[in-house]
Structures are given as structure tokens and as C-alpha cells.
Amino acid sequence: MSTGIFTLADKLQGLNRNLHDQRRERVASSKLRAALETSVGEFRQAKRLSGPETEALFGGRALVGVDGSVSQVGGNYPYTVHLFKSLAKSTLPARNGATSVEQVELLSPLLADNLREIKNFLEERRHEIRVTEGLDDEVLVNDLAEQQAYFMLADKRMVEMELKAAMEAIERFSPYLVLMDGGFSRLKGKGGELWEEFEDLALTMGTIVVGVIEEVGSFRLQSRLANHEDVLNGFLHRHDREILFGTLNQGEWLKTSLDRPIKNEFYTVFTRLSDLPQAGACDFLRGQADAVDDVIDFLYTITPSKSRGIPLWLDVVDAEVRLTKKQIDLIVKSNVDVENIESFLRPQRDRRDF
Amino acid sequence: MQIVGQTTQLEAWVASRTRKFHINEILIIEDRDHRHPKAEVIETRTFNRYIPLASEQSNLVDTSVLEGLRSVGFDIEDEEIHLGKLRLIEELPTPIRVGAPARVPSFAEVEDLLIKRKPHEGLTLGVIQGSREIAKDMPESLQNVALLFDKENGVGEQGGVPFVFDYRSMDQYPHIGIFGGSGSGKSFGLRVLLEELMLKQVPAVVFDPHFELTFDQEFPNLPEDFRHSFKKRFVTLDAGEDIGIEFSELIADDIVSLLRASSGSITDAMETAIKALHKKSDSFLTYSTRMANLAEALDNEKEIREQSRDEYLNPNDRERVKLLNDLLVKYKDKVGGFSGTLRSVLRRLTRLEMEGVFTSAGTKKVEEAFAKRQLVVIRGSMYFLNVFAFYVVRKLYRKRRDYRDSIQKGRPVEEKFPPFVIITDEAHNFAPKGDVPAPAKGVLKEIAQEGRKYGVFLVFATQRPALLDDTITAQLSTKLVFRTVRSVDIAVIKEETDITAEEAARLPYLSSGTAFLSSAITGRTTAVRIRVSKTTSPHFKNPFEELEEGFAEQDEKVWEAVLPSLPIDASNLNAYLTEIGRKVGRLLSFDELEKTLEDFVDQGRLLKVSTPFGARYNKA
């Protein structure tokens, strides 16, 4: 047996010691909280709403959850296919009895139309796409750029489909609240004009839209805390998630100041909806920030205390939108001929024996 | 309802969001390529993917969360998905189409499958499980022919398609087995089967070791049009009184098996002696006298041999001596010289004789009842019935066989003899497996194998199919299987029926009164809920309740008698004994009266008070 694994164990212990030493330098949590209160916003405790309270809040309107799923079939670019599905699911049926809006799409460089689209996209975004320099082989360089463009396009496609599903759901169900899986930055960044349209529709229809973020990925708090000496000591990279870990109590949320928002385009608050110490966040449209107290109470109500901190409705939508590997296998095998699968779509790693 | 997942040429899963599947219900799969095959639900499941089993990965969801979602219109508990495993009634050449819709058939579509005979043509045993929905558009003639009973609601509606057993096909597929543990509803099923046989006036003989098969007590609370009197359709005979064995009809081998059955075991020497001494048409008297005489001769062998040569013996003695000497000459070598053997046999024979086994009653009463197409119930202890069954069954079977043979061979027919059914509970005692001896086993095996030729059929009920003779088990074309718990018995049932693994797994959990009917006649296994019987067994009352009631009654009587005599002087109870005894109707002892009065004090009905003249019982 190789001894490499023991060497790795040693190295990991070293890392662990390092992390531990770092953490020891941290100030008391109360001091951190005090700093956050001065520079970021106030701590609020969410309450669980009773049935009648929830009914009063929604006034008979629906709750909609929106999520998307993307699955890749095949091997390396360009022998690959992306399957997209987006779903907006409502708690109340529309007039025609439907309770959800679903969109599906397929994207693959194996299709001539799609390939043209990829090449056009590459031309448009040439400036954003950088390929490692120093490669002589021009064909390879082009291939890599194309591949990058393809993945960007796939991301864009997914966002567009989520936004479309959400918009159709707002029109059809006229819900009180729409929960999007993930923050608004991604939607706005990749959705472009469609995002503007979505925002406008939500504001006109009086539908509150919220982006529910499971794991905070932002990097905003450290600049706010910079003038408080010590409080950032002991934090390694000073990402928001690191600072907020264990700082909020269960059901507590950090109501950031509306006058000095964390993000420029949206209104973001930090939350801890379940008993996990990891903080999450919620994005609101700036124009809808005044609904934040009610909405957070409601989200806390529908989040199981022993869960990863996501409102159950988004879990329900997530479960429904996801295409399982089994389903994909089945649908591919029963609709694509074996010769085609084998010659274009079968990655070599599927053939591994172990 | 839709076919989902993987299918085979025989099995598939069907799923529905709104409708739960019923076990054993029949569905039609709309698969055009296969001409809409029919299938039976053999397993059911329901799950809610949002309420999974709690585990490390998925926790139970708080109720407040569910309430929160319910308030905005989503009831997670409605998100159930129902699954049913289907088995096709007939196998297909290729697998069922996945995605094919499935539906509940109309009655007309499955009539051929479920109803082989109309209720008046067959034995209406119960209701086919899972047929409730199909039964909605069933014709009137099939309704209310098999009412059901359960302990909570009493006699209730039929709620399904009746199961009618085509008993006339028994000439092709003879004999019925009824298996099930205690409390499984086996006795109940047997009773219903017997009622149906009586309704069809099929002559039958039942061996009833439990004294429970009488049919004159009506089941309580039956609706008017479901009631039926069986009083003229059956007779009960007590073994050893109403029927007996005619000794002169026995051959030596019969006597051996009778004695073996009645006394456990007999020695080889006894067997040899029994056979050697027996002559055709011996009566009990001639046979036992011969045996007694020989025993006497063996004891006094020397004297007898001497005396037989004595010419001056008086004539009476001479005759006696000659008789004994002749027996010695004839039998001594055959029976060995030991008189003890003979006396052992004699003791056993005499015991049977005293118990009334050898009476001249024979089977006359059974034959008379058969002529009237009645059911004959022969009652007696297990041990007694075992002795009788062999004789009765053989005699009846021979009569029937001779009658049929005569017709076949064109001989003049002396006596008409009807076809009939032989029924026993605890059948494993009459025909045990392996080389366990039982007198009736031989003839029962013969009937199992050849009975259908002559129109003689067996209905064998037992808790222990694993202990029943293999040859006979194999010949039971129809098997009614109630709840069975022992794995050895389940193994036998699996082997001897077309019950599937899924059905076998349900056997230990079947509710009382539900059975799988596996039959060559119906061609497939049907789950049947046995109908309510129209009659009830005489000892329906729980013995402990009976005890309570009996005693309460007794106390009440004494109480009534004590009342007028109050207050009672405790030191002078003797003075009250006669008076109270007269009122109660039996003599009371001092101790009994004192104990009863003290009991009344404990119950608070009397007060025991001290007075200057001693203790006194006053009314409380």
C-alpha cells in the first residue's frame, strides 16, 4: 500500500492547526455583532406566522417558486448536449386548473443551428473570452474559446428560461410572492433585457420577488467593517459567509440599512432560517424593500428547522424540476439510436470498470 | 392511472396521483398492441416524496412549515403518489407498453373472468376481494347473495362481486383442501362450504371432532331474505351410538388397524395372533370366544392333552376338552405358546366393544340420510372418529363403487347409491404424512386418486398442511388458504398451489375470513372474503364470559333468597340454611352461605354490624 495517504494526512493536520490558530485571534461574537449593527444594519428575530396571519398576508394570492435544472449528456466539447428545464410552481391553480409553468430546451454544438449561435456569441463576446496564451495550435485555441462561449451561452440560456417561466407564472397566477432559487446578480448579469422586463412586470403586478440564496457568496461586509479595529482579525479571506458563520441566531436576520445598501442594484438581507449556523441571504427589488419584514417571517415559517435553510417550497420545486440521471438515461436511450450515442455521446469514462 | 417504470411481458407498475389501488383489484391496461390486457393488483404502495422516511439526509418536516404552506394553498399531504404492482391475467408475447393508461373495467368486461357460474348453479362462498368498484354495475341477480360480516359492524353489505365455486367441475378437478391456522376463519369457511353443499342437496358425510358442526342455530341479525333453515338438510349421528362397526364385515387386517388406531401400538406377536385366529364372517362373539378359549387352553395345555386321552371323562367335560384340544392343535404353532399375547388382544377388543364400537347399527343411518340427500355429521372424539372413519368411508365408498361398476358392466343394479362428499376437519389426523399409521389413510388415499371416477370427493381441512399425506395433498385440485403462520406450512402451500411469492408473503397477515382460493377450476388464484354463515356453531359463547354469567346468576339467586330473612344473625347461620336452601332450590352448606354473605358484604350490599347479641348481617 502506498504511503502517500499518510503524507496527505500530515499536511491536512498542518492546515487544521493553521486554521485553528487563525480563529483564536477572533474577537468576541458580541463585539462583531456590535460592529455589524453600527455599520451594516440591525438584527431582527423572525417569527413563525400562524395560519390566519399567513392568509392575511397573502390575501388569497398564491406563492410561486421558480427553479431551473440543466443536465449535460455526452463527453467533451463539441460532443455534448445540454438539456434545460425550468419550472415555476404555484400553490394555487390558475383559472385553467394548471398549477405550474414549465419550459424545456436543448442546446448542442452537434446541431448546426446551435453551432452557428455559438460562433456568433463567440464573436460578440470575443473581448470577454480569454484563452491561455502561448498556445501555438490555432485550431485548439479556437476550440477552447468556442467551448467557453458555449458554456456561457448555456448559463445564459438557463437564466433566460427561469426568467421566462417566472414571468409567465406572474401573468398567469398573479401571485403575492415569487421565490427565485438563487440571487438576483446572476439573473440580472446573464438575463440582460429580460431581467429588466421581469422587474418591470413584478412591480406592475404587485408581485414581490425574492431571490433566496442558500449560501452567501458576496464579499461586501469586510469593507464596511474595515474601520472597526480587530473585528476582522482571525478571518482568513473575509468573505461574507465566513464573517456571518455562527453570528446569527436561529431565525435571526440582519436587516441591512436601506440608506446604505450592501448591493447597489438590489436590497439584500442576511438570514439564518434553520438551525444550521451557515447564513443565507435574500435579494429584494429595491422598490419592494418595505415588504422585507413580512416576507422574512413567512420564509422562516415555511423553512423546516432541521434543514439546509431553504424554504420548503423551493425544495419542492427543486425536486420537481430536477431531471434525474435515470430519467435522462432513459430519455436519451429511448430516443437516440445506439450508433449515434456510441459515436457522439458516450464519454470514455462511462466505460470504466471500477 | 398510467403504466410507469419498467415492464415485462407479465408484470408492470401502475401509478396514480388521485386514486389508491386496492389489493387484488382488476384493471384494464389500454395497450392497443396487446388488445387491452387485464391485470390484477398484487402489491400496493403509497408515498409522498415531500414526506420521506426521516433519515440523516432528510429530516421530518415541522408541522408549522406544512401549516404555512397550507395557508397559501398547498397541502403537501395531497402530494401522494399511489403505486400498484400489476400481474397480467395472461402472459403477453412482448412487454406491456410503458405509459399506457390503465382504468377500472366495467362489470361486463370482466364478467367472464370473475363469474364462472351463476349463484344458483354453484357454491356462493364469498366476495372477490378488490372488486368493489367493478361491482357497481353488476346485475341484480349477483347482488346480496353473499353478505359479509365483521366484528365491528356486524352483518354488512356484499360490496363486491360474489365468488361462486363451480362445484360441478369437480368431476374434472376433484377434492378441496382448506388450510389455515386457528382463528384464521378456516372453521367458518368450512361451515359456509357445508351450507352451500346442503343448499345444493349434495349428500355428504362430515367427521366432526370438535362437536361444532350443527346447523340448527341461526346466525344472529341476518336480513330476512338471507336467512335459510337447514334443519331438514342434515342429521347428527354419534359415533358408537347411532353408527357402529359391524364386526362380521371386518377382515383380519381391519382388526389390526383398528386396534392399532385405538391403542397406539400393538406387537408383532399380537398382529400374528389376530390374523391367525380370524375367520371370515366372524362375529365379535365367535372371534373373542375363540381367542379366550385358546388362551385358556394354552394356560392348561398339559392337563388338556392328558384329559383328551382320558376315555372316562364325563360327556360335558369331554366336549369342552375336545374343543380346547382342537384349538391347541390348530393354532398353537401359529400364535406361539404365550397366552399373555392373546389376553392383551382381548383386553383391547373388549374395550372397543364396551365403548360401543361394535354395534349392529352399522352405517344404516348414514345410508338413509344419503337417500334423502342430507348432510351427515358424525361426532365423536378424535380417537373414536379415527376408528370409525376408516370403516364408514370404506363401506360407503365400496357401495358407491359397486353401484357404478354394475352400471358400467351392465350388471343388474341391486341398490342405488348416490355420489357424495367426505369432509373432515383436522384431516392430518386421518391421513398423516409419512409412515405414521392411521386406519383410514389407505382408503382416503384411494379416494383421492380414484374417487372422481365414482363421484366421491374429499374436502380436507387442516391447520397443518405440512403434516398431511403428500399423495392426498397433491390430489386436492382446489385449495382454500386462510391465514397461515408456520413457515413449513407456507412452504407446502407454495409448492402445492399457484400462489405467488407476493401472496405467500401475505399469508401470515391475512385478516380472519379472507382466503386465497387456488384452483384448477378457476385457473388462477382469487382472494376471497368468505361470506357470513347463515348458521352458527353451538358454542359461540366465550367460556370465560360464560363463567362470569353463570356465577352472577348464582349469586343473584342467593341474594333473592337472603333478602326476606334479613337481618341475619351471624352466630346462628344454621337456622337459616333450610329456609334459604329451599328458595335457592338446592341444599346450601354452612360454609357456602357464610362465604356468600361475606361476598355480599365485600360488594357493599350487606353490612356486618356488631350488636350486644353478636354479629349481624343487615341490608346496606
Side-chain angles (χ1 to χ4, degrees):
Chain A
M1 186 172 160
S2 86
T3 54
I5 192 99
F6 298 111
T7 317
L8 276 177
D10 279 345
K11 287 182 186 295
L12 280 169
Q13 279 172 20
L15 170 68
N16 186 46
R17 261 194 307 280
N18 247 333
L19 294 173
H20 194 74
D21 291 347
Q22 284 271 353
R23 284 166 60 105
R24 274 211 305 228
E25 291 171 27
R26 289 189 190 173
V27 297
S29 149
S30 57
K31 208 168 169 193
L32 174 61
R33 281 173 65 99
L36 285 167
E37 279 209 298
T38 358
S39 307
V40 182
E42 50 182 318
F43 289 100
R44 288 284 179 93
Q45 179 64 41
K47 65 166 181 144
R48 295 204 190 273
L49 300 178
S50 69
E53 282 170 332
T54 310
E55 279 164 33
L57 180 63
F58 276 70
R61 294 169 78 186
L63 165 70
V64 167
V66 181
D67 199 0
S69 92
V70 53
S71 320
Q72 192 183 357
V73 181
N76 289 334
Y77 186 84
Y79 302 107
T80 184
V81 176
H82 274 72
L83 303 172
F84 301 93
K85 184 176 164 193
S86 70
L87 177 76
K89 187 175 165 73
S90 166
T91 55
L92 291 172
R95 231 171 277 138
N96 66 357
T99 55
S100 61
V101 174
E102 194 181 283
Q103 303 226 338
V104 286
E105 231 170 284
L106 181 149
L107 182 70
S108 171
L110 293 171
L111 286 173
D113 281 356
N114 284 172
L115 187 61
R116 214 172 303 124
E117 201 181 340
I118 295 163
K119 288 186 191 290
N120 289 342
F121 190 76
L122 177 60
E123 286 316 308
E124 277 172 38
R125 308 285 178 99
R126 188 56 98 170
H127 60 282
E128 288 175 37
I129 297 167
R130 269 194 301 269
V131 177
T132 330
E133 297 186 12
L135 280 175
D136 310 333
D137 190 338
E138 203 161 314
V139 179
L140 187 61
V141 169
N142 202 45
D143 252 16
L144 277 172
E146 221 175 87
Q147 182 181 347
Q148 233 174 338
Y150 171 66
F151 283 120
M152 285 171 69
L153 186 62
D155 281 351
K156 182 168 179 277
R157 185 62 41 94
M158 186 71 262
V159 165
E160 283 168 0
M161 285 176 63
E162 283 175 48
L163 284 173
K164 278 184 197 160
M167 284 159 70
E168 201 181 326
I170 292 176
E171 278 165 352
R172 264 211 221 167
F173 304 110
S174 176
Y176 166 73
L177 180 64
V178 173
L179 300 179
M180 307 294 290
D181 190 40
F184 284 169
S185 311
R186 168 175 156 270
L187 296 178
K188 183 175 175 157
K190 303 212 156 109
E193 282 171 20
L194 209 54
W195 166 261
E196 313 289 334
E197 219 178 298
F198 168 71
E199 193 174 353
D200 184 55
L201 180 69
L203 290 170
T204 340
M205 297 286 288
T207 294
I208 299 165
V209 291
V210 178
V212 179
I213 301 162
E214 185 179 1
E215 200 177 320
V216 181
S218 54
F219 189 52
R220 314 262 174 167
L221 295 176
Q222 63 108 26
S223 58
R224 292 295 181 83
L225 297 173
N227 51 353
H228 296 270
E229 50 175 334
D230 305 348
V231 294
L232 287 174
N233 288 352
F235 289 103
L236 267 177
H237 290 280
R238 302 179 176 181
H239 279 261
D240 294 353
R241 60 166 288 168
E242 203 183 332
I243 294 168
L244 289 170
F245 185 91
T247 305
L248 296 169
N249 297 320
Q250 183 172 350
E252 202 176 30
W253 56 289
L254 183 53
K255 187 176 183 182
T256 52
S257 153
L258 251 178
D259 308 326
R260 291 185 62 204
I262 291 286
K263 296 177 191 169
N264 290 326
E265 314 94 312
F266 322 118
Y267 176 57
T268 302
V269 299
F270 298 100
T271 56
R272 178 179 167 188
L273 299 175
S274 76
D275 68 347
L276 284 187
Q278 189 61 259
C282 290
D283 283 345
F284 287 77
L285 297 178
R286 303 218 57 178
Q288 295 179 332
D290 50 346
V292 66
D293 295 84
D294 288 338
V295 170
I296 298 293
D297 280 349
F298 174 68
L299 294 184
Y300 182 52
T301 308
I302 63 162
T303 304
S305 60
K306 304 265 179 200
S307 74
R308 59 194 176 108
I310 285 291
L312 188 70
W313 189 242
L314 276 178
D315 264 350
V316 168
V317 177
D318 176 64
E320 206 162 303
V321 75
R322 209 183 312 130
L323 292 166
T324 62
K325 192 169 177 337
K326 230 176 163 178
Q327 283 174 318
I328 290 168
D329 276 359
L330 205 70
I331 190 177
V332 170
K333 276 183 191 147
S334 49
N335 295 291
V336 183
D337 289 340
V338 178
E339 308 96 271
N340 287 331
I341 294 178
E342 289 298 322
S343 54
F344 296 114
L345 293 174
R346 182 86 184 261
Q348 208 56 29
R349 66 170 178 277
D350 269 10
R351 290 183 229 263
R352 281 185 300 201
D353 288 333
F354 303 109
Chain B
M1 285 185 271
Q2 198 180 24
I3 300 298
V4 295
Q6 281 186 11
T7 65
T8 70
Q9 79 290 349
L10 188 63
E11 290 184 341
W13 283 93
V14 59
S16 166
R17 266 190 181 281
T18 50
R19 184 181 180 278
K20 279 198 169 92
F21 293 98
H22 296 267
I23 190 84
N24 299 120
E25 75 176 324
I26 290 181
L27 298 176
I28 287 186
I29 302 171
E30 295 189 320
D31 179 351
R32 244 170 295 113
D33 303 341
H34 290 119
R35 298 192 197 168
H36 304 317
K38 298 181 184 95
E40 183 179 352
V41 175
I42 54 168
E43 200 181 315
T44 60
R45 289 185 193 180
T46 289
F47 71 93
N48 186 327
R49 59 180 162 157
Y50 303 124
I51 313 180
L53 283 173
S55 69
E56 274 177 64
Q57 280 79 35
S58 53
N59 276 288
L60 269 177
V61 173
D62 321 32
T63 48
S64 74
V65 175
L66 299 184
E67 199 194 332
L69 284 176
R70 202 175 295 130
S71 320
V72 296
F74 180 78
D75 198 341
I76 217 164
E77 280 149 31
D78 289 344
E79 291 296 291
E80 278 180 342
I81 292 180
H82 310 292
L83 286 173
K85 190 176 186 183
L86 294 177
R87 174 165 302 119
L88 295 183
I89 306 292
E90 277 170 51
E91 201 181 38
L92 298 173
T94 54
I96 304 156
R97 185 164 64 87
V98 178
R103 63 176 171 84
V104 177
S106 70
F107 178 73
E109 285 173 298
V110 287
E111 184 172 4
D112 290 350
L113 193 65
L114 300 181
I115 301 281
K116 305 279 181 195
R117 288 276 169 186
K118 295 277 181 301
H120 64 273
E121 296 167 333
L123 312 182
T124 310
L125 297 181
V127 176
I128 298 171
Q129 271 214 323
S131 64
R132 179 174 280 276
E133 236 176 297
I134 295 170
K136 277 180 189 146
D137 56 344
M138 191 168 68
E140 188 115 1
S141 64
L142 295 175
Q143 284 168 11
N144 297 321
V145 294
L147 301 185
L148 298 181
F149 173 80
D150 74 66
K151 281 217 170 97
E152 271 154 39
N153 306 316
V155 180
E157 53 157 350
Q158 177 173 318
V161 178
F163 179 82
V164 182
F165 181 65
D166 180 13
Y167 73 113
R168 292 182 196 194
S169 297
M170 277 174 65
D171 73 326
Q172 289 285 322
Y173 305 106
H175 315 313
I176 300 174
I178 303 179
F179 305 146
S182 54
S184 66
K186 175 183 56 114
S187 306
F188 186 60
L190 186 62
R191 171 170 293 274
V192 169
L193 181 70
L194 293 179
E195 284 178 4
E196 289 292 325
L197 284 174
M198 282 189 279
L199 286 171
K200 297 290 175 289
Q201 300 197 48
V202 179
V205 55
V206 192
F207 295 97
D208 174 22
H210 303 312
F211 289 76
E212 63 182 10
L213 293 173
T214 54
F215 303 90
D216 36 16
Q217 218 160 308
E218 198 173 79
F219 197 93
N221 303 322
L222 289 180
E224 195 51 47
D225 54 352
F226 196 66
R227 291 167 59 188
H228 199 280
S229 169
F230 294 94
K231 284 185 179 139
K232 291 181 181 157
R233 296 282 171 83
F234 81 103
V235 289
T236 32
L237 302 179
D238 285 319
E241 254 170 61
D242 301 314
I243 64 170
I245 296 177
E246 273 186 74
F247 194 86
S248 57
E249 290 176 8
L250 299 177
I251 59 166
D253 280 337
D254 297 342
I255 302 171
V256 171
S257 26
L258 271 183
L259 292 187
R260 193 172 274 144
S262 58
S263 52
S265 67
I266 56 173
T267 61
D268 289 351
M270 283 157 77
E271 187 175 338
T272 318
I274 292 166
K275 286 180 178 166
L277 280 167
H278 189 260
K279 285 184 185 168
K280 199 169 176 244
S281 313
D282 256 342
S283 71
F284 180 74
L285 193 66
T286 56
Y287 185 66
S288 58
T289 312
R290 185 178 309 124
M291 198 169 275
N293 284 342
L294 181 59
E296 187 191 331
L298 283 172
D299 285 341
N300 309 303
E301 187 180 354
K302 212 170 146 195
E303 288 163 49
I304 288 166
R305 294 225 190 253
E306 275 169 16
Q307 282 178 357
S308 69
R309 287 190 292 272
D310 187 347
E311 288 173 24
Y312 304 104
L313 217 60
N314 76 53
N316 275 350
D317 286 350
R318 179 175 301 170
E319 206 173 310
R320 176 79 184 153
V321 167
K322 184 179 181 315
L323 176 86
L324 296 183
N325 195 40
D326 286 351
L327 284 173
L328 274 178
V329 172
K330 194 167 177 191
Y331 293 115
K332 189 196 167 186
D333 294 343
K334 293 181 185 159
V335 302
F338 185 48
S339 63
T341 310
L342 295 177
R343 268 194 286 274
S344 295
V345 174
L346 266 175
R347 268 198 300 278
R348 286 167 167 74
L349 273 176
T350 314
R351 180 177 155 214
L352 285 181
E353 210 274 332
M354 285 175 53
E355 281 168 341
V357 173
F358 304 119
T359 68
S360 58
T363 56
K364 211 165 71 218
K365 288 193 175 169
V366 181
E367 289 162 44
E368 282 167 11
F370 273 17
K372 288 188 264 177
R373 300 179 64 175
Q374 283 176 318
L375 176 89
V376 181
V377 181
I378 300 179
R379 307 193 296 188
S381 65
M382 194 65 238
Y383 134 83
F384 229 46
L385 285 182
N386 223 329
V387 172
F388 273 97
F390 132 81
Y391 172 76
V392 173
V393 168
R394 190 179 62 184
K395 185 156 177 189
L396 298 175
Y397 181 55
R398 278 189 187 155
K399 286 209 159 191
R400 173 66 187 166
R401 199 175 58 187
D402 291 348
Y403 169 67
R404 285 295 291 218
D405 284 348
S406 302
I407 294 177
Q408 199 118 33
K409 292 173 185 157
R411 286 199 300 253
V413 179
E414 286 170 16
E415 198 184 352
K416 261 195 162 181
F417 203 87
F420 62 97
V421 182
I422 300 162
I423 299 130
T424 88
D425 201 351
E426 311 293 349
H428 59 276
N429 283 319
F430 293 95
K433 188 187 194 133
D435 36 349
V436 182
K441 190 154 106 178
V443 62
L444 289 173
K445 262 167 109 159
E446 192 182 333
I447 295 174
Q449 287 167 314
E450 305 212 307
R452 83 186 169 95
K453 272 199 301 206
Y454 302 110
V456 177
F457 304 104
L458 300 174
V459 174
F460 268 16
T462 176
Q463 314 195 17
R464 302 300 320 275
L467 300 184
L468 190 62
D469 181 80
D470 295 337
T471 325
I472 293 182
T473 313
Q475 295 290 335
L476 302 171
S477 308
T478 298
K479 282 148 186 131
L480 200 52
V481 186
F482 290 86
R483 182 173 64 221
T484 304
V485 181
R486 278 196 190 81
S487 59
V488 278
D489 292 327
I490 293 176
V492 169
I493 290 165
K494 264 164 125 171
E495 204 166 297
E496 296 291 341
T497 64
D498 56 0
I499 274 178
T500 61
E502 285 91 352
E503 284 156 348
R506 284 170 62 198
L507 280 179
Y509 310 104
L510 280 183
S511 64
S512 181
T514 301
F516 288 117
L517 191 131
S518 155
S519 174
I521 297 176
T522 47
R524 66 187 196 99
T525 300
T526 313
V528 177
R529 173 120 192 105
I530 300 297
R531 70 162 170 80
V532 62
S533 57
K534 302 188 183 210
T535 58
T536 176
S537 76
H539 45 75
F540 208 58
K541 197 181 265 180
N542 178 306
F544 298 104
E545 276 169 24
E546 186 189 317
L547 191 66
E548 290 294 318
E549 285 169 23
F551 265 72
E553 211 171 277
Q554 193 113 67
D555 279 359
E556 230 29 59
K557 257 188 174 172
V558 180
W559 176 248
E560 294 292 323
V562 162
L563 262 180
S565 308
L566 290 174
I568 290 173
D569 185 356
S571 58
N572 195 17
L573 283 185
N574 278 324
Y576 303 89
L577 282 179
T578 342
E579 174 65 14
I580 294 174
R582 201 170 48 77
K583 286 181 186 154
V584 176
R586 70 191 165 83
L587 217 56
L588 288 173
S589 70
F590 178 93
D591 288 346
E592 192 182 349
L593 182 61
E594 187 181 32
K595 187 192 166 289
T596 313
L597 290 174
E598 288 297 323
D599 282 349
F600 288 148
V601 171
D602 289 344
Q603 292 163 16
R605 293 162 140 197
L606 290 181
L607 285 177
K608 194 174 181 180
V609 290
S610 313
T611 70
F613 314 103
R616 227 179 228 178
Y617 294 102
N618 282 344
K619 192 157 187 272

